[in-house]
Amino acid sequence: MRNTNCMSDYSEVQHGFGILNRFFVDSVKSKSFTEVLDDCFPGVAAEAIAAFDSSWSDIRLNSYIACLSEHQDSEDQNGRLSMWRAFGGTATRIGIVLSIPYSSLSILALNLTFSPVAYLSEAGAHNVLEEVIGNVRDNRGFLQSIGRDALVRLVFMTILSGVLCLKHEGFKEEREWRAIYAPKRWPSRLIESSIEVVAGVPQAVYKVPLDASVSDQVADLDFTEIFDRLIIGPTSYPRPIYDAFVEELKKAGVANSEERVRVSGIPIRG
């Protein structure tokens, strides 16, 4: 998991923050948001927004994200051309397909937030927030039943998710999901870090243990359980790469590794 501050010059976090910030500086929209929440408990909106504002520096600098792309059955053999083109540079690219359980207790033990990315224009994102306002209004009784503190946390997480999981609509074919880790806000004793050089930049990298031997708390995310297949991207040397990965997968305990490694047939022209 890499730090969001190192991902690119155009920060994914800053993109989402800008869109939500422009919603809340609009006095009419902000008033509507505040009033509907304060109708549940007075001061809830202000408290949640103040908590977010006080955490913003930590959110911007200490949110670590692992990005995955939702895989379709039709891509089992060749992968997705746009992804082969976009990632990996000139080296041979590898796609690892994982079958992650819909519900996982390991996510709780790891203190991870796992969420799909929303590919929205600014107007689209603001429309979603208007829908949230309507849903709060329609479910006032339920929200009062969960208690004031829980509602403050829920509002905080809604804003946080918007900041961390909004992406320009032009990237929607990526079908990205994000696993988000916040070591200072919500640390997990199971996740360790090291300093790695990524694209020439030394940085902290947090490592999710996909290994049941580390703890039975992550058993349903053990690599041998969630590994589906490995697709070797377009390359001039498919056979040695195939043999190497089959051997390493056998060492990792993956059954039937020969049948689970594929070579993409997509040609990529320079």
Side-chain angles (χ1 to χ4, degrees), residues 8 20-21 30 44 66 69 77 80 117 119 190 201 223 248 263:
S8 66
L20 267 68
N21 187 58
S30 179
V44 161
S69 180
Q77 178 58 50
R80 193 178 317 151
V117 165
Y119 298 98
L190 298 176
V201 180
F223 182 75
E248 290 303 312
V263 178

Side-chain angles (χ1 to χ4, degrees), residues 66-236:
C67 302
L68 302 91
S69 180
E70 187 177 340
H71 181 80
Q72 294 186 329
D73 291 344
S74 61
E75 299 167 335
D76 280 351
Q77 178 58 50
N78 294 316
R80 193 178 317 151
L81 177 58
S82 62
M83 302 302 279
W84 293 132
R85 282 176 168 163
F87 298 100
T90 58
T92 298
R93 285 146 284 193
I94 302 298
I96 298 177
V97 182
L98 304 175
S99 180
I100 298 173
Y102 180 78
S103 178
S104 170
L105 294 177
S106 299
I107 298 296
L108 299 177
L110 294 167
N111 278 346
L112 294 178
T113 300
F114 198 58
S115 174
V117 165
Y119 298 98
L120 297 169
S121 65
E122 181 161 326
H126 289 190
N127 287 340
V128 170
L129 285 170
E130 297 285 0
E131 291 177 12
V132 169
I133 291 170
N135 289 337
V136 171
R137 185 178 295 111
D138 293 342
N139 294 277
R140 176 174 174 270
F142 169 76
L143 293 173
Q144 287 178 320
S145 74
I146 68 175
R148 189 180 192 283
D149 291 344
L151 184 55
V152 169
R153 290 193 297 270
L154 184 59
V155 176
F156 176 88
M157 291 302 297
T158 299
I159 299 171
L160 180 65
S161 296
V163 168
L164 294 178
C165 296
L166 271 177
K167 198 166 184 177
H168 192 282
E169 58 187 334
F171 295 106
K172 62 183 178 181
E173 72 165 6
E174 293 177 354
R175 299 195 297 274
E176 182 181 333
W177 283 66
R178 292 180 173 180
I180 303 163
Y181 182 57
K184 293 188 176 181
R185 295 190 300 280
W186 303 302
S188 169
R189 65 176 183 80
L190 298 176
I191 295 182
E192 298 180 350
S193 68
S194 64
I195 301 299
E196 309 283 347
V197 178
V198 181
V201 180
Q203 56 190 275
V205 175
Y206 283 83
K207 302 175 182 180
V208 179
L210 305 180
D211 185 352
S213 68
V214 171
S215 170
D216 58 7
Q217 291 180 292
V218 296
D220 62 357
L221 289 182
D222 186 89
F223 182 75
T224 60
E225 295 295 324
I226 65 174
F227 177 81
D228 181 79
R229 69 188 65 228
L230 184 148
I231 305 173
I232 300 170
T235 176
S236 300

Side-chain angles (χ1 to χ4, degrees), residues 49-65:
I49 292 172
F52 178 86
D53 288 344
S54 66
S55 301
W56 171 235
S57 179
D58 180 58
I59 292 167
R60 184 171 65 87
L61 298 175
N62 295 299
S63 295
Y64 290 77
I65 296 177

